[in-house]
């Protein structure tokens, strides 16, 4: 269900994106000119990015680099080289609240005026990247991780993905 706060944030992101094509979350400025989406990565951060939970794999205009948490087998997956690749073992989706509301609109696009990709949040840029939230030792410091949470572990220098049961680490 959409709230006024969610709609206001989406509208602000679209307006900001159309002016600058860079977005900072929980901070005032984007660090560097090669970042399209930047999070407040202060020391002691325990927040990560939560992937959309899907029942089965998405269809439509899939693009490489699409991430989901698939509740049918409780795995975090990425669409890579035109195929789905599991990034985690089978976890636990009992905490996941599935959104069965009808979708409206194309989602939020950051970095470009339009896209052919089908997603809730689409980052489009030929020369900018997303900087994940940075968390030191997430398996210790994130007290209540949500299935599908992603962050960069500054201690092990790896991509950390929570599958609902355990953290999975990728170099």
């Amino acid at each position: 269900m959409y709230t006024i706060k969610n709609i206001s944030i989406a509208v602000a992101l679209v307006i900001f994106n159309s002016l600058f094509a860079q977005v900072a979350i929980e901070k005032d400025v984007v660090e560097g000119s090669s970042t399209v989406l930047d999070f407040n990565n202060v020391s002691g951060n325990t927040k990560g990015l939560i992937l959309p939970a899907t029942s089965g794999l998405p269809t439509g205009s899939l693009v490489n680099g699409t991430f989901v948490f698939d509740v049918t087998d409780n795995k975090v997956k990425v669409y890579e080289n035109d195929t789905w690749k599991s990034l985690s073992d089978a976890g636990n989706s009992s905490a996941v609240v599935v959104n069965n509301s009808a979708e409206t609109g194309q989602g939020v696009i950051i970095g470009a005026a339009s896209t052919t990709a089908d997603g809730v949040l689409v980052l489009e840029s030929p020369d900018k990247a997303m900087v994940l939230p940075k968390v030191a030792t997430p398996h210790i410091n994130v007290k209540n991780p949500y299935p599908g949470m992603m962050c960069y572990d500054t201690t092990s220098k790896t991509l950390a993905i929570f599958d609902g049961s355990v953290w999975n680490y990728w170099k």
Side-chain angles (χ1 to χ4, degrees):
M1 180 157 90
Y2 295 105
T3 65
I4 296 297
K5 181 179 177 184
N6 290 344
I7 293 170
S8 298
I9 290 171
V11 168
L13 283 172
V14 169
I15 291 169
F16 186 81
N17 177 45
S18 65
L19 297 174
F20 300 103
Q22 290 181 294
V23 175
I25 307 241
E26 291 191 359
K27 61 196 269 183
D28 293 331
V29 296
V30 173
E31 293 176 26
S33 60
S34 62
T35 305
V36 70
L37 181 60
D38 193 7
F39 297 90
N40 189 15
N41 287 315
V42 296
S43 179
N45 181 40
T46 60
K47 297 178 181 175
L49 177 71
I50 306 294
L51 297 173
T54 61
S55 182
L57 297 171
T59 58
S61 300
L62 297 175
V63 293
N64 290 318
T66 299
F67 287 87
V68 297
F69 179 73
D70 183 359
V71 299
T72 58
D73 61 3
N74 298 319
K75 293 183 180 182
V76 173
K77 297 177 181 176
V78 62
Y79 193 68
E80 179 181 78
N81 296 323
D82 301 319
T83 189
W84 286 100
K85 177 181 179 183
S86 294
L87 293 179
S88 72
D89 295 328
N92 181 350
S93 62
S94 63
V96 174
V97 177
V98 177
N99 180 357
N100 291 320
S101 300
E103 290 186 27
T104 60
Q106 190 174 17
V108 176
I109 304 163
I110 299 175
S114 64
T115 182
T116 58
D118 187 19
V120 174
L121 174 63
V122 179
L123 307 178
E124 285 280 353
S125 178
D127 60 356
K128 292 179 176 59
M130 177 181 67
V131 177
L132 283 173
K134 297 176 183 174
V135 178
T137 326
H139 64 280
I140 293 173
N141 291 317
V142 179
K143 300 303 179 198
N144 294 306
Y146 195 80
M149 182 178 177
M150 286 176 57
C151 61
Y152 179 76
D153 181 0
T154 58
T155 305
S156 66
K157 299 189 181 345
T158 59
L159 171 64
I161 300 170
F162 186 68
D163 65 18
S165 295
V166 298
W167 285 95
N168 296 264
Y169 295 89
W170 288 84
K171 287 209 180 252

